[in-house]
Amino acid sequence: INNKPVSRHQMCRAFAYAMLCDISKDRKVVEIPFNHLAINTITDPMTSVNRGMSGGTSFYNAFHKANSHIDKLNNPDIIFITDGEDHIRPETIKRITDQGVRLWLYTIGNTPNRVLEECSHRSFVIGHDIQKSIENLTESMRATK
């Protein structure tokens, strides 16, 4: 982007937006970038892809914020992009998935979070092997069709 290297996180967000836009041109995307906070929302793909991430991680805050949007959306899915380095109780995720929401997990790095992986509809690893990561992202797009 702008002649700068693209991070795995940016690549994953770009694929997520492409996947959702390919499914339905009228599907609303609400992104909740999070570290230790989850206070903002983003609805513009380029704002998302250009954004970096840093800081501590709070899965609880991210899922709590996502839950506040679920009832406003038609047939929502959660695409969760993370390095997996936090803890969460399965009950927190179950409250969301019990509402029919599918969780698509994208782990940046080679060690997925076990609880997130078990609660996910589908899980993909975006690791150091770029070719394999692109294959995983492509598979995730096929899985949504």
Side-chain angles (χ1 to χ4, degrees):
I1 300 173
N2 298 326
N3 294 321
K4 295 179 184 173
V6 176
S7 72
R8 290 181 289 172
H9 203 279
Q10 288 172 308
M11 180 176 64
C12 199
R13 285 186 291 203
F15 264 80
Y17 271 97
M19 176 176 68
L20 289 170
C21 292
D22 190 46
I23 294 170
S24 173
K25 301 293 183 213
D26 62 350
R27 185 151 190 188
K28 182 177 181 178
V29 176
V30 177
E31 180 180 356
I32 303 167
F34 72 97
N35 46 31
H36 64 288
L37 300 172
I39 55 175
N40 299 319
T41 58
I42 297 174
T43 56
D44 175 60
M46 287 312 295
T47 299
S48 171
V49 173
N50 284 317
R51 183 181 172 94
M53 294 305 295
S54 63
T57 301
S58 172
F59 289 168
Y60 176 81
N61 287 343
F63 279 102
H64 181 73
K65 180 77 170 189
N67 197 38
S68 71
H69 286 275
I70 287 172
D71 62 342
K72 301 172 195 162
L73 300 171
N74 181 28
N75 193 26
D77 286 340
I78 293 178
I79 296 175
F80 199 72
I81 304 170
T82 181
D83 61 9
E85 295 181 9
D86 193 22
H87 303 284
I88 192 161
R89 295 173 41 191
E91 300 81 34
T92 302
I93 301 170
K94 188 166 174 25
R95 272 183 254 141
I96 292 173
T97 58
D98 281 353
Q99 297 176 62
V101 176
R102 296 182 306 178
L103 175 64
W104 300 76
L105 175 63
Y106 294 80
T107 300
I108 306 292
N110 293 316
T111 312
N113 180 290
R114 185 186 57 76
V115 172
L116 289 174
E117 198 169 40
E118 289 174 3
C119 294
S120 296
H121 171 70
R122 293 289 300 267
S123 176
F124 305 93
V125 173
I126 312 304
H128 298 294
D129 182 339
I130 297 302
Q131 182 61 39
K132 182 63 176 165
S133 295
I134 290 173
E135 289 171 12
N136 285 343
L137 288 167
T138 303
E139 172 59 28
S140 76
M141 291 180 78
R142 283 190 202 112
T144 63
K145 301 228 183 254

